[in-house]
Amino acid sequence: MTVVVRPASVADVDAVVAVGHATWPAAYTALAGEEYVERGLAELWAPDDVARAVEAGMVLVAESGGEVTGMVMCSVADGVLTIWKLYVVPTRQRRGTGSALLAAVLAGPGARAREVRLAYMAGHEQARRFYGGHGFVETHRSPDERGGPDDVWMRLALRG
């Protein structure tokens, strides 16, 4: 099935939130517990916050068969593209959706960035393999603000 990546619109907010609700329990319950996941969903996937990010042009979505199956949220400042969220629903993982989202964010919002930064949760081996496979290297670790395992920060140099 073909993956189409495009800027999110306000009409996509519920679908973007649904991606979070489909991915977070599968990704983080075993690593950080149910309470962490519930708190994270409430704090990081609130529809009003997602809508603000969409309106600011910070969100791209991946569609397969007319359904939103993944999303990426980013920002660019001082030549650095920071990826805050990149998630693909479990049924579409390992089918190129995450790679398509990453390529689109690098070609779009990150086109003039000199580097990309992101963090994933320590112990999340699927994220480590995905980002490492795309050339990201670990730079440091920091405590998770919500009390989960450390954040593992990674960097990808794009130019100069």
Side-chain angles (χ1 to χ4, degrees):
M1 193 173 298
T2 303
V3 176
V4 176
V5 178
R6 61 173 174 77
S9 72
V10 174
D12 296 314
V13 169
D14 288 343
V16 170
V17 170
V19 169
H21 283 262
T23 57
W24 261 60
Y28 302 125
T29 301
L31 294 173
E34 287 181 26
E35 183 179 314
Y36 179 93
V37 170
E38 289 172 16
R39 194 171 60 248
L41 287 171
E43 293 174 6
L44 302 173
W45 295 93
D48 289 345
D49 294 338
V50 171
R52 279 191 288 282
V54 166
E55 290 168 354
M58 297 172 58
V59 181
L60 301 176
V61 293
E63 281 186 330
S64 298
E67 178 184 339
V68 173
T69 57
M71 59 77 63
V72 59
M73 181 184 294
C74 64
S75 62
V76 181
D78 299 323
V80 176
L81 170 71
T82 302
I83 296 176
W84 299 106
K85 297 177 183 173
L86 193 159
Y87 292 98
V88 175
V89 296
T91 58
R92 296 298 303 167
Q93 291 175 0
R94 298 190 174 129
R95 296 181 183 200
T97 302
S99 294
L101 283 163
L102 183 58
V105 80
L106 293 177
R112 285 181 254 132
R114 69 178 183 283
E115 70 180 62
V116 184
R117 296 179 190 163
L118 58 82
Y120 70 90
M121 183 180 284
H124 192 306
E125 288 303 303
Q126 187 175 345
R128 184 190 61 74
R129 285 190 306 273
F130 175 78
Y131 294 119
H134 284 87
F136 285 81
V137 294
E138 182 177 337
T139 59
H140 65 284
R141 294 177 182 227
S142 63
D144 178 78
E145 333 179 312
R146 287 170 185 73
D150 285 349
D151 291 324
V152 179
W153 285 90
M154 300 188 91
R155 173 184 185 271
L156 175 67
L158 299 175
R159 48 187 86 31

